[in-house]
Amino acid sequence: MAHNLTLCRLLVEKAVRAGAKALFLPEASDYIAGSGEESVRLVKPVHESEFVLGLREEARREKLSIHVGVHEPGLGTHRIKNTVLWIDERGDITHRYQKIHLFDIDIKGGPVLKESQWVEPGMKILPPFDTPVGKVGSTICFDLRFPEITLALRRQGADIITYPSAFTVQTGKAHWEVLLRARAIETQSYIIAAAQAGRHNEKRVSYGHSMIVDPWGVVLAELGDATGEPDIATAEIDLDLLRKVRLEVPLSRRTDVYPEI
């Protein structure tokens, strides 16, 4: 966690130099363990986590809002929460979303991961909240495969929908970009997907390719996989463009035919 905090401080420095109004970091930025048991052993409440406390200090000092995925203790002793925090420019945690859809896969010749064995699923979609870059709606990683969440966030006024992630390489190559662009197009929203990259341990490698997509489905910025020090991708959030797209191609739901989500 100390190492990851050092890397995130480097990203804060890069974001400040770039003139960014907010920094979006990946899912599980505090740590990715070698097993579920290790994840449970490492977890700390946010008020005790040196990683979260360090990012709050950075946000306060640089007056930079930070959106970051971390682990938190679960309700029981054998499970944890996969959450994303919004740390505002005062260093206060003002938003906390808990991942709803957990990553349980068993791909022949590929990864086998059972997140539900050690992570508690979230139970609610949280309304979008005001930020210096627009109204942000939070989701996490595997939530990307379920458009119901993003449609609900769009209906509640989201300008930006986030997907902090640690996608596997195999699923990332097949589905990452196409799903992110689809979520942008169907909600006419900006998509910000900060992604873990490279090898974490002998079991886990993440695809990378952090991406920012505009409401027309255009990829505005993209990083690669892990080569050298971590980097940031930047883009301008143009709310006039967002309104233009929504005005010119209105997506009127036929709730008389199917129920609203």
Side-chain angles (χ1 to χ4, degrees):
M1 281 181 276
H3 173 72
N4 288 343
L5 177 58
T6 298
L7 296 182
C8 288
R9 282 181 164 142
L10 174 63
L11 295 175
V12 168
E13 181 183 330
K14 291 185 175 188
V16 170
R17 285 205 308 264
K21 292 184 179 180
L23 173 64
F24 294 81
L25 296 171
E27 175 186 30
S29 288
D30 49 354
Y31 62 86
I32 291 183
S35 67
E37 293 81 6
E38 185 181 21
S39 288
V40 173
R41 286 199 306 273
L42 290 173
V43 73
K44 294 182 180 180
V46 294
H47 66 276
E48 296 177 8
S49 165
E50 60 267 33
F51 179 84
V52 175
L53 291 172
L55 283 187
R56 293 183 65 187
E57 177 188 347
E58 292 290 320
R60 186 164 47 245
R61 183 175 64 248
E62 301 294 350
K63 295 181 171 53
L64 177 73
S65 299
I66 300 174
H67 188 264
V68 59
V70 298
H71 301 87
E72 295 188 83
L75 297 177
T77 57
H78 302 297
R79 299 177 93 190
I80 59 178
K81 299 177 182 178
N82 184 334
T83 64
V84 65
L85 309 175
W86 181 265
I87 304 171
D88 70 13
E89 64 274 12
R90 296 179 298 276
D92 296 328
I93 297 171
T94 59
H95 169 85
R96 177 188 276 102
Y97 166 76
Q98 185 177 349
K99 187 177 184 180
I100 292 175
H101 297 99
L102 301 182
F103 189 50
D104 284 6
I105 64 163
D106 187 349
I107 296 177
K108 186 176 181 179
V112 177
L113 292 166
K114 301 292 182 183
E115 192 176 19
S116 63
Q117 290 180 355
W118 51 275
V119 175
E120 292 177 0
M123 299 303 293
K124 64 175 72 172
I125 298 170
L126 297 183
F129 57 98
D130 290 318
T131 79
V133 292
K135 276 190 172 292
V136 170
S138 292
T139 77
I140 300 174
C141 199
F142 199 57
D143 289 333
L144 176 59
R145 296 182 181 274
F146 302 89
E148 293 87 350
I149 297 181
T150 39
L151 293 173
L153 291 171
R154 165 66 182 89
R155 180 171 56 82
Q156 295 178 68
D159 303 316
I160 299 164
I161 297 170
T162 67
Y163 289 101
S165 296
F167 247 62
T168 67
V169 173
Q170 190 168 354
T171 58
K173 287 179 177 178
H175 301 146
W176 176 245
E177 179 178 339
V178 69
L179 284 173
L180 290 174
R181 295 183 67 195
R183 298 295 88 87
I185 293 165
E186 71 196 7
T187 63
Q188 299 173 321
S189 303
Y190 280 93
I191 299 295
I192 299 179
Q196 294 270 7
R199 179 167 294 279
H200 309 291
N201 50 54
E202 67 278 2
K203 296 180 181 178
R204 288 287 301 274
V205 182
S206 288
Y207 179 60
H209 295 270
S210 296
M211 199 172 291
I212 304 171
V213 186
D214 80 5
W216 195 245
V218 176
V219 177
L220 299 179
E222 180 180 1
L223 298 176
D225 50 18
T227 53
E229 68 178 31
D231 207 353
I232 61 169
T234 61
E236 180 181 352
I237 302 301
D238 184 348
L239 297 181
D240 287 335
L241 171 65
L242 180 143
R243 285 187 283 268
K244 179 176 182 291
V245 169
R246 292 179 178 180
L247 180 65
E248 292 180 347
V249 187
L251 300 181
S252 301
R253 301 283 171 206
R254 285 292 307 276
T255 53
D256 59 323
V257 176
Y258 51 82
E260 190 168 52
I261 297 169

